[in-house]
Amino acid sequence: MINALLWTPLAFGLLGLFMPWRLAGWWATLGAAATLAVAIALLAGFDSGAAGLQDSVDVNWIPGLGVDYSLGIDGLNVFLVLLTSVLWTGATAFAAFRDQERPHLFFLMMLLAETATLGAFVAQDLLLFVLFFDLMLVPFYFLFGAWGTDRAGGPTAAAATLKMIVYTLIGSLLMLVGAIATAIIAAHDGGQITFSIAELAKHPVGDGSQRWIFWFFAVAFLVKMPAFILHGWMPDAYRAAPLPVLAVFSGVLAKVGAYGFLRVVLPLFPAATVQFQEAVLVIALASILYGSVMAFTQTNVRLVGGYSSVAQLGFITAGIFALRADGADGAILQMVNHGLVVAPLFIIVAILAERSGSEDLREMGGMALRAPVLAALFLIVTLATLAMPGSANFVGELYILNGLFQAKIVFALVAITGVAMSAYYALRLYQRTMHNRKPEGMTARELSLGDGLVLAPLVLCILGLALYPQLILHRTNRSATQAVAATCSPIFAASSAARSSATDQCPGENDARPYELTANR
């Protein structure tokens, strides 16, 4: 079933090349919906109490180099796979309702991007993960560059895309070097060369090697998210991207970087993770504060969403590097929450831009009176964005802050300010688009049936998680706890410096959330 999940989008994309151009979008939507059905079936059969991978595939691919075609599902990725399928179905349907230039190629690139993203989430071989991670760049390069929009006073879509590719490609090349070095160093220490993440985690490389390899992976993931300092490609790329493409790009691809920390960095480089914990937390807090400040100073609605994503990914990174089970649980929940919020946000941005002919907040307003359904749906998205108590986003941030308070209370106090700032920029966006005086020339009309069919299910998902966030937390807790515990168990065999710097992160007898480390200790 996991092979069907991975290759169904690409198969539909290739077959769609032979469809009449008027049906290309709907055929692609059918392919995304079929992938969603497989993802739902995988979740239905997922056993939250089972240890290890489920629905796994493990086949020798390049035996001489120790590379396997290894796929699997566990608590770290099962909901990210579902999120990917949900958002791709919605974004593809939204694009199908509109005319696209060269629709066959457009929807082929969309579905190829879905396959590459799913591959990054389910890959259990380090080199296979890197391959899918890099493959994601190819379709988005064409989607941003060929179907993007040139903005007056800014770089062309091609130039913005090139800037994005340069940033992300440098990070990807560093990660490739780090992956190869990890396998070779591990083999040199007495084992057979392998890229299996599970096997490499059993025998981490030495502390000295971990230090520099850690940053090779960290740079690749922080660029993808994007994090403060490494976000320079984001403003131009977000302004140029087609909005249906931007919905999945911001909603899903940023999560691949955060997921990479849990899947790869924590288990493979535990000593370096502990040593550089505070450095990454500083980057995370800088992302929260910088992203929040920039979000409430922007007038371009795309960039409000873009900078809010920088802030939210900062929260997710902080949850991961709290190195506590609560923080990791909250980070996974918040990855799903953010995707479910930011994708409808960009779809609403597209609808508002069509009504006003502009993406400037100062040229929008007056929609609530003439479009109450759109206003109601947007209000739910807004309240989730600012983590209103009762929303799943509130629960996710609460878990993250709880884990951060246990680990680094000063960092937690600074992170709280980001919660307050998110309320300002989210309400500002809603107020100016829905309730300000309607500008001259702006068309205020209700949602079309097609747009309603795209937006309503996404908003229902937001409401469903608000009512029952335990749907995710119950199924992710075991895997999240094991991922964080990996940073503790190797410490007893690590250097004294690493041990002393990590003492506070190791669970003790009085911890409220028990870690499964007895055997390792």
Side-chain angles (χ1 to χ4, degrees):
M1 187 176 289
I2 198 168
N3 275 319
L5 172 84
L6 179 58
W7 299 112
T8 293
L10 181 57
F12 270 81
L14 293 173
L15 291 173
L17 294 174
F18 304 99
M19 301 292 291
W21 69 270
R22 292 183 179 276
L23 298 179
W26 299 114
W27 177 256
T29 303
L30 178 61
T35 307
L36 174 59
V38 178
I40 292 173
L42 283 172
L43 177 62
F46 184 77
D47 183 1
S48 58
L53 297 172
Q54 302 177 37
D55 295 288
S56 59
V57 173
D58 195 354
V59 179
N60 286 337
W61 183 26
I62 311 176
L65 297 178
V67 181
D68 295 335
Y69 176 75
S70 180
L71 312 173
I73 294 288
D74 63 4
L76 294 183
N77 60 13
V78 62
F79 281 98
L80 295 175
V81 165
L82 184 62
L83 173 71
T84 302
S85 304
V86 168
L87 297 193
W88 240 278
T89 303
T92 305
F94 185 79
F97 278 114
R98 287 150 178 81
D99 292 333
Q100 306 292 336
E101 294 183 9
R102 303 182 298 279
H104 292 92
L105 291 177
F106 177 87
F107 289 107
L108 171 62
M109 291 298 107
M110 282 287 285
L111 294 177
L112 173 60
E114 184 177 12
T115 285
T117 306
L118 289 170
F121 282 133
V122 301
Q124 303 300 325
D125 181 277
L126 188 56
L127 205 59
L128 189 65
F129 173 82
V130 174
L131 174 64
F132 281 118
F133 191 91
D134 291 344
L135 181 60
M136 290 188 300
L137 293 178
V138 176
F140 282 105
Y141 171 78
F142 290 106
L143 288 167
F144 279 43
W147 286 274
T149 305
D150 295 338
R151 302 292 172 183
T156 63
T161 303
L162 180 61
K163 186 177 182 180
M164 177 188 73
I165 292 298
V166 169
Y167 269 82
T168 52
L169 187 59
I170 290 173
S172 296
L173 291 175
L174 289 174
M175 184 170 62
L176 176 61
V177 172
I180 295 172
T182 301
I184 291 176
I185 294 172
H188 182 72
D189 290 342
Q192 184 178 1
I193 189 168
T194 179
F195 286 92
S196 167
I197 295 175
E199 291 300 318
L200 292 172
K202 293 177 182 177
H203 308 286
V205 298
D207 289 3
S209 298
Q210 284 191 36
R211 292 188 186 101
W212 63 269
I213 298 175
F214 170 91
W215 283 112
F216 277 25
F217 279 91
V219 167
F221 296 148
L222 292 172
V223 167
K224 182 73 72 177
M225 294 172 79
F228 177 67
I229 299 177
L230 300 174
H231 74 288
W233 60 269
M234 186 274 291
D236 291 339
Y238 271 49
R239 276 194 292 257
L243 281 165
V245 178
L246 189 55
V248 293
F249 186 88
S250 183
V252 179
L253 261 72
K255 313 310 179 296
V256 178
Y259 167 78
F261 280 117
L262 286 170
R263 175 64 70 193
V264 177
V265 172
L266 268 63
L268 299 193
F269 316 114
T273 297
V274 173
Q275 182 176 354
F276 298 121
Q277 177 192 20
E278 291 188 356
V280 178
L281 284 177
V282 167
I283 295 173
L285 292 186
S287 298
I288 294 171
L289 298 178
Y290 174 79
S292 298
V293 170
M294 291 300 293
F296 66 65
T297 59
Q298 296 296 316
T299 58
N300 184 294
V301 286
R302 289 177 183 241
L303 294 186
V304 174
Y307 282 112
S308 72
S309 294
V310 172
Q312 291 301 314
L313 268 296
F315 264 106
I316 292 168
T317 305
I320 294 170
F321 277 84
L323 302 184
R324 296 282 177 171
D326 276 353
D329 279 337
I332 297 173
L333 176 59
Q334 202 64 0
M335 287 186 223
V336 179
N337 288 335
H338 178 257
L340 289 175
V341 166
V342 79
L345 175 62
F346 280 118
I347 290 173
I348 291 170
V349 166
I351 294 170
L352 294 176
E354 291 173 353
R355 305 286 197 275
S356 65
S358 171
E359 295 176 357
D360 193 313
L361 274 175
R362 295 167 296 188
E363 300 178 19
M364 296 181 179
M367 292 294 294
L369 184 62
R370 301 290 182 87
V373 175
L374 174 61
L377 295 176
F378 193 11
L379 180 61
I380 294 171
V381 172
T382 301
L383 295 178
T385 300
L386 59 85
M388 176 67 71
S391 67
N393 298 63
F394 174 78
V395 176
E397 289 188 2
L398 183 63
Y399 266 74
I400 289 171
L401 290 172
N402 186 44
L404 205 53
F405 265 109
Q406 294 178 54
K408 305 285 182 180
I409 189 169
V410 175
F411 288 91
L413 292 173
V414 176
I416 287 175
T417 62
V419 178
M421 287 189 285
S422 68
Y424 180 85
Y425 65 70
L427 290 174
R428 169 178 173 262
L429 177 62
Y430 183 79
Q431 176 71 27
R432 292 203 174 189
T433 56
M434 295 290 111
H435 294 293
N436 272 14
R437 184 183 297 275
K438 186 173 77 70
E440 292 293 334
M442 180 171 180
T443 303
R445 65 178 185 272
E446 189 55 274
L447 274 175
S448 67
L449 177 61
D451 292 343
L453 290 175
V454 172
L455 270 179
L458 296 177
V459 173
L460 286 175
C461 289
I462 295 173
L463 293 174
L465 275 184
L467 294 173
Y468 189 52
Q470 198 65 23
L471 173 72
I472 294 178
L473 293 170
H474 175 67
R475 290 164 175 79
T476 61
N477 178 256
R478 184 185 185 98
S479 296
T481 301
Q482 290 174 346
V484 174
T487 63
C488 228
S489 57
I491 292 171
F492 300 95
S495 67
S496 59
R499 186 185 305 114
S500 61
S501 66
T503 301
D504 293 339
Q505 302 307 319
C506 293
E509 294 177 359
N510 297 324
D511 280 351
R513 300 291 297 270
Y515 288 68
E516 300 175 355
L517 290 178
T518 306
N520 288 330
R521 287 190 174 186

